[in-house]
Amino acid sequence: VDLKGSSVGQINGLSVAQYGDCTVGQQHKITVSTYAGREGIINIEREAEMSGNIHDKGMMILSGFLGQLVGQQIPISFNASIVFEQLYSGIEGDSASAAELIALLSSLSGVPIKQSLAITGSVNQRGDIQPIGGVNHKIEGFFDICSIFGLDGSHGVIIPASNLDELILKDKVIEAVEKGLFHIYAVNNIKECLEILCDFSSESQPQEDILESIKQKIIIKLKSYNDVLKASYL
């Protein structure tokens, strides 16, 4: 678990696990590695036959969003390996698709992600954040993990705004939020997620829309990948 600093292509995703009548929120480190190639997004869980159909569909939606974002301006030629680190029990559902997309955008653009935050949410091809299940367990699970290492006001969870009415949280979580030691962010789209998660401390804040800034960085990266691929065929 990394809860400090920032990292490129790495993000904290959330899921739930059921053990009989007990439901537990879990944190997962999701990492993305991107490099020159023509295979597109490679879902390591799928390749290892450890993911279900719904999760696989969510992964394919990432290609649709990225294609709409930059594919109209430049050929999209790259390889991207996405994996839930040290997950051996399999994964199902699309509630991590927003986390996977942000990690992918981070890897392609080089913009780091704050590691003190976690996110849950499904994303569609237009970048809208859609509701998910188990929102209370996911928030409380990540809260418990952060509490072990010590809450310092930087920790928090990003959830779909459409899940707000479902929140019924333990008193200790509410008290921490009231004291400013833990935060719960409700978002409607991927742009709002990026505004919360992206760390621009090592460079000047983007002058334009944050999604547009990341888009331009990705275009530059894809151009370099295209040059590598062209050179390999000479």
Side-chain angles (χ1 to χ4, degrees), residues 89-231:
S89 59
I91 187 73
E92 179 60 298
D94 63 350
S95 63
S97 58
E100 292 165 332
L101 176 56
I102 293 168
L104 175 62
L105 295 176
S106 169
S107 182
L108 285 172
S109 67
V111 175
I113 299 169
K114 298 174 184 175
Q115 299 301 297
S116 58
L117 302 173
I119 180 172
T120 180
S122 168
V123 67
N124 64 20
Q125 290 191 110
R126 301 175 63 86
D128 300 318
I129 302 299
Q130 304 169 134
I132 44 80
V135 64
N136 293 296
H137 296 294
K138 291 175 179 178
I139 293 173
E140 292 171 351
F142 190 67
F143 173 85
D144 289 341
I145 292 173
C146 295
S147 297
I148 294 173
F149 293 91
L151 297 171
D152 60 12
S154 67
H155 304 113
V157 172
I158 299 172
I159 66 171
S162 48
N163 281 115
L164 273 176
D165 292 341
E166 300 173 33
L167 294 186
I168 307 175
L169 299 167
K170 295 178 181 178
D171 290 342
K172 62 180 181 180
V173 179
I174 297 173
E175 291 171 3
V177 171
E178 291 174 343
K179 293 178 181 179
L181 295 175
F182 193 76
H183 306 277
I184 299 174
Y185 304 94
V187 297
N188 294 289
N189 52 61
I190 208 71
K191 176 185 173 183
E192 294 176 3
C193 297
L194 293 169
E195 290 172 343
I196 298 168
L197 282 163
C198 290
D199 183 4
F200 284 94
S201 59
S202 60
E203 58 180 284
S204 60
Q205 292 288 336
Q207 298 298 313
E208 65 269 27
D209 176 284
I210 188 170
L211 188 57
E212 181 63 26
S213 176
I214 289 176
K215 172 183 175 180
Q216 295 306 319
K217 292 177 181 294
I218 291 175
I219 289 175
I220 293 172
K221 177 66 70 66
L222 291 179
K223 286 181 178 178
S224 68
Y225 287 168
N226 287 336
D227 290 341
V228 170
L229 292 172
K230 288 178 182 178

Side-chain angles (χ1 to χ4, degrees), residues 11-55:
I11 194 168
N12 292 312
L14 299 171
S15 70
V16 291
Q18 292 187 329
Y19 304 95
D21 294 333
C22 179
T23 303
V24 179
Q26 297 181 319
Q27 173 267 356
H28 298 285
K29 180 189 292 185
I30 301 172
T31 61
V32 178
S33 174
T34 51
Y35 44 96
R38 301 187 186 280
E39 295 183 28
I41 299 174
I42 302 169
N43 176 8
I44 293 180
E45 262 71 38
R46 182 180 63 193
E47 298 300 317
E49 298 183 352
M50 294 176 62
S51 64
N53 294 334
I54 298 175
H55 181 256

Side-chain angles (χ1 to χ4, degrees), residues 72-88:
Q72 300 177 33
Q73 296 180 247
I74 187 174
I76 302 180
S77 297
F78 70 94
N79 288 353
S81 299
I82 302 180
V83 67
F84 284 66
E85 299 291 354
Q86 289 195 301
L87 175 65
Y88 307 116

